[in-house]
Amino acid sequence: MTSLPAYPSAKRLGLVIDLDVCVGCHACAVSCKEWNTGGYGNALSDQDPYGPDVSGAWLNRIHTFEVVPDGGQVVGEASDARIVHFPKSCLHCEDAPCVTVCPTGASHKRAEDGIVLVDEDKCIGCGLCAWACPYGAREMDVAAGVMKKCTLCIDRIYNETIAEVDRVPSCVRTCPANARHFGDFGDPASAVSTMVAERGGIDLMPEQGTRPVNKYLPPRPRRPLADSAPKAAAVDVSGVTGFFAWLDGVLERI
Amino acid sequence: MHPALSVIVFTTVSGLGYGLAAVLGLGALDAAAWPTRVAHVLALAAISTGLLSSTLHLGNPQRAWRAFSQWRSSWLSREGVLAVATFLPLTASAWMSVIEGRYLPLWGLLGTAGSVATVFSTAMIYTSLRSVQAWHTPLTVAGYLSFAAAGGLLLATVAAYAAGSDMAPRLALAGIVALAAAWAFKGAWWRRQRRMAPISTPESATGLGAIGRVRLHERPHANENYLTREMGFKVARKHADKLERLALASGGVAPVLLLAAATFAGGGLAIALALLAVPFHAIGVLAERWLFFATARHAVMNYYGR
Ligand code: SF4
Ligand code: SF4
C-alpha cells in the first residue's frame, strides 16, 4: 500500500547526525554497504567494480561542503570558511513523496515504526521514487533492477540473535566519532529527542514538505579568524642604548 | 534530468495517438471513409507503441502488472489503469469504423474522455513532483493536454482532407488554434522556468545556511553514480535557448503555416500540405520533450554542486 499511514506512528525511528562531530572518514558508508550487501533484499551490486568506471548502489554517502559566513574572508587555507562533512541517507520522511508515487506498492512506510522500505519482490524498477525523493536517498540496483534505500538496518535493530549493543544501524555502530545516533523520535524523553531539543536539530529542505524524521545537529559556532590572530605584545625599548639599540633597529628593518 | 529516449518517445507518440483517438471519438469524421479507418488503426498503434516503449526502461518489466494496484495514491498507477481501461472503448470504436463503417457516440465519447484522462495523468506524474521545480506547475498539464490535442487535430485534418470531407477546413482551423495554445503554454512554461527562484538551495539542503554560503567541497565519490546519471543532466542555457526556438519553429510555426495553406489550397495539394505538417510537428514536440527533461533541475543536485 503506497498510501501513507493514516495516523503518524507513535514510534518514529530515525537518526540524528551531528555535523559538529563528523570527521568525514566514510566509515559509516562503507559499513552500511558491507552490512546491506548481505542483508535485507538483493546484494548492493557494483558495476565495473575493479575498473576505472566503478559505480554502484550505496545507501549512505558522505558529501563535504565549505561554508563561508557573510563577510568572512577566504585566504588560502586559513580563513573563515568551514569544512563540514555531511553524511546523507534516507530521512524516513513523515510525508514521504517516494512512497505515494510508487505504482506497485513496493515502496511503503511502516505504520508501526515509521521506517520507509522497498519490498523488492514487488518493485518494477521504474525509478519514479528516486525522482520523487529530493534528497537522493534512493539508488537503483542496476543488476537486480530494483530500488535500494536505507532500511534503518531493519535486520539489526530487531535482531535478537545479535548482542544488544549491536542492535542499532550499522552506520551508528561503526562511527568512530560518535556522530550518528539512533532512536525513537516519537518518545520526547529519548536520547535523540533530547539531543535535537538541546542542540537545535534541523530538517533538511523543509520547503519540500517531506517532514523528515532524521535530524541534523548544526556545527557549533566558531570564533572568527581575526580573534585568533596572535597579538604582538608591545615591548618598551626606549631606554636601550649601544649594541642592543643597534640590534633593535636592524631587527625592526628586516 | 536525464532525457531518456524511451520516455521521450513514449510521451510524444502516445500523446499523438491519444490526441487522434480523442478527435475520432467526437465523431467529426465519416466513420465509413477509408482515411478514418486508417486513422483509427494508427491511433491504436501509436498508443500501443508508446505504452510498450515506456516499459523498456523498467528494471523488472515482467512485474509491470503490479503497477495497476496503487491508483489511490500514484499518478503513474492511475496512468496505467486509465490507459488499459481506455483501450476498451478505443478498440470498440476502431472495430465499428474499420469493420462496420459506423460511429457509436457512446463508445466514441468514452474513448475521448479516457484519452484526455490518460494524458492528464501522464502529465500529473511530472507535475506532482516537487523535487523538480520546473515541472511542478499546472502549466505542465496544460502543455501535455494541448500538445496532444494539437497533434490529434493535425492528424485528423490529414484524414479529413484525404476523405474529401467538408469538415477538413474546420479541423484545420481547430488545429491552428490548438497549436497556438500549446506553444503559448510552452512559452509561459519556459519563461517561468527561466525566472523562478529555486525553492531549494545548497543552504537549505544542508541546513548550513544559518552559518553562511554553502559550496560543495568534495563529492562523495569521484565517479558518476545513479543519482548524477539520472538527475545530474544539465544542458547549457545557451543551447536551450537555441533549441527552444528550433522546437517552436518546427513544431509550431511550420505546421500553422502549412495548415493555413492547406485551407486555401484544397484538393490534393491540401492533403500533401497537411501531411507535411505532421513530421514538422512531431520533430518540434520531440525537441520540446527533450528540453522538458534535459533542462529540469532536480533538488538533489544541491548536494552535487550542479
Ligand atoms: S529521504 Fe527520500 S527516500 Fe527517504 S523517506 Fe524521505 S523522500 Fe523517501
Ligand atoms: S522503483 Fe520500485 S519502489 Fe520505486 S516507485 Fe518504482 S516500483 Fe515503486
Side-chain angles (χ1 to χ4, degrees):
Chain A
M1 216 14 231
T2 60
S3 296
L4 291 162
Y7 301 101
S9 53
K11 206 164 158 196
R12 294 189 296 130
L13 298 182
L15 302 175
V16 164
I17 292 167
D18 191 340
L19 296 179
D20 196 59
V21 166
C22 174
V23 293
C25 68
H26 293 237
C28 57
V30 174
S31 81
C32 163
K33 176 98 173 169
E34 199 279 330
W35 177 265
N36 285 293
T37 205
Y40 179 95
N42 287 280
L44 285 171
S45 73
D46 287 315
Q47 281 64 49
D48 194 18
Y50 302 102
D53 279 327
V54 52
S55 88
W58 292 68
L59 313 182
N60 182 16
R61 289 184 186 262
I62 323 302
H63 301 239
T64 298
F65 293 97
E66 177 198 75
V67 197
V68 184
D70 263 351
Q73 42 175 328
V74 181
V75 206
E77 288 182 2
S79 69
D80 288 326
R82 302 189 60 159
I83 295 299
V84 179
H85 302 293
F86 191 93
K88 183 167 61 63
S89 51
C90 172
L91 310 165
H92 297 278
C93 305
E94 290 284 321
D95 277 330
C98 56
V99 168
T100 50
V101 298
C102 175
T104 62
S107 186
H108 61 285
K109 185 170 175 74
R110 303 198 335 162
E112 64 269 35
D113 54 14
I115 296 180
V116 174
L117 280 181
V118 174
D119 179 343
E120 294 179 9
D121 292 335
K122 288 187 185 160
C123 176
I124 55 174
C126 67
L128 187 57
C129 54
W131 283 11
C133 170
Y135 306 104
R138 293 176 167 239
E139 298 189 15
M140 185 84 78
D141 185 323
V142 284
V146 295
M147 195 53 75
K148 304 295 294 191
K149 70 175 293 300
C150 159
T151 68
L152 220 52
C153 282
I154 194 127
D155 45 359
R156 291 175 69 102
I157 58 177
Y158 296 118
N159 190 340
E160 297 191 347
T161 64
I162 57 177
E164 197 166 350
V165 64
D166 289 327
R167 289 180 212 159
V168 293
S170 186
C171 56
V172 173
R173 188 76 181 97
T174 301
C175 178
N178 210 18
R180 311 181 66 109
H181 308 271
F182 165 73
D184 178 11
F185 291 86
D187 170 8
S190 69
V192 283
S193 299
T194 318
M195 245 180 271
V196 167
E198 280 175 2
R199 294 273 306 280
I202 42 174
D203 285 352
L204 304 184
M205 293 200 250
E207 68 278 3
Q208 293 280 343
T210 53
R211 295 200 295 136
V213 169
N214 285 13
K215 298 283 185 267
Y216 282 72
L217 305 181
R220 293 185 171 87
R222 203 175 73 166
R223 286 183 307 161
L225 184 63
D227 287 3
S228 12
K231 292 192 186 56
V235 182
D236 186 9
V237 290
S238 51
V240 182
T241 53
F243 172 74
F244 290 107
W246 172 80
L247 186 64
D248 180 52
V250 170
L251 289 174
E252 270 308 308
R253 276 196 296 279
I254 58 174
Chain B
M1 301 293 288
H2 171 64
L5 193 63
S6 66
V7 178
I8 292 176
V9 170
F10 157 63
T11 61
T12 307
V13 174
S14 74
L16 277 174
Y18 281 119
L20 179 57
V23 178
L24 289 171
L26 295 175
L29 297 177
D30 172 15
W34 69 264
T36 311
R37 300 178 181 200
V38 172
H40 272 290
V41 175
L42 203 71
L44 280 180
I47 292 169
S48 324
T49 315
L51 289 178
L52 281 179
S53 83
S54 76
T55 59
L56 286 183
H57 77 286
L58 296 181
N60 278 289
Q62 78 283 5
R63 299 200 274 257
W65 59 271
R66 286 192 184 274
F68 300 125
S69 67
Q70 301 302 310
W71 47 270
R72 265 168 298 195
S73 72
S74 162
W75 280 106
L76 179 53
S77 183
R78 286 173 199 161
E79 182 203 42
V81 170
L82 284 166
V84 169
T86 305
F87 255 104
L88 192 67
L90 291 188
T91 315
S93 287
W95 178 273
M96 289 314 285
S97 167
V98 174
I99 308 292
E100 304 192 17
R102 285 200 295 147
Y103 167 70
L104 294 183
L106 178 67
W107 288 117
L109 293 177
L110 274 177
T112 301
S115 301
V116 173
T118 309
V119 175
F120 177 80
S121 41
T122 304
M124 280 309 290
I125 296 172
Y126 305 109
T127 306
S128 64
L129 298 179
R130 203 185 299 203
S131 49
V132 186
Q133 197 183 346
W135 295 351
H136 193 57
T137 161
L139 284 171
T140 301
V141 176
Y144 270 77
L145 284 174
S146 54
F147 273 113
L153 285 164
L154 189 52
L155 289 167
T157 306
V158 178
Y161 273 120
S165 154
D166 54 359
M167 281 299 288
R170 268 175 271 176
L171 281 170
L173 202 64
I176 291 175
V177 172
L179 281 165
W183 288 100
F185 285 133
K186 196 70 237 188
W189 194 95
W190 282 334
R191 259 194 310 285
R192 172 183 174 275
Q193 185 187 31
R194 204 161 299 154
R195 292 187 188 156
M196 68 192 185
I199 58 164
S200 294
T201 58
E203 285 75 23
S204 75
T206 56
L208 297 171
I211 303 179
R213 217 162 12 83
V214 177
R215 192 178 67 85
L216 181 70
H217 182 69
E218 237 180 321
R219 297 169 46 149
H221 290 67
N223 287 351
E224 298 287 312
N225 61 34
Y226 174 73
L227 299 170
T228 61
R229 277 193 297 264
E230 188 74 359
M231 288 160 235
F233 196 94
K234 207 166 123 198
V235 51
R237 195 65 250 174
K238 193 174 75 187
H239 300 305
D241 289 348
K242 222 180 287 171
L243 263 172
E244 283 175 11
R245 283 196 293 275
L246 269 174
L248 174 63
S250 172
V253 177
V256 163
L257 292 178
L258 286 165
L259 280 182
T263 58
F264 287 112
L269 186 57
I271 308 176
L273 287 169
L275 194 60
L276 188 60
V278 174
F280 272 107
H281 177 69
I283 289 170
V285 174
L286 279 174
E288 179 270 313
R289 287 294 138 86
W290 188 85
L291 284 166
F292 178 78
F293 290 96
T295 61
R297 181 174 181 269
H298 194 283
V300 71
M301 286 303 127
N302 287 311
Y303 296 109
Y304 282 90
R306 295 195 194 175

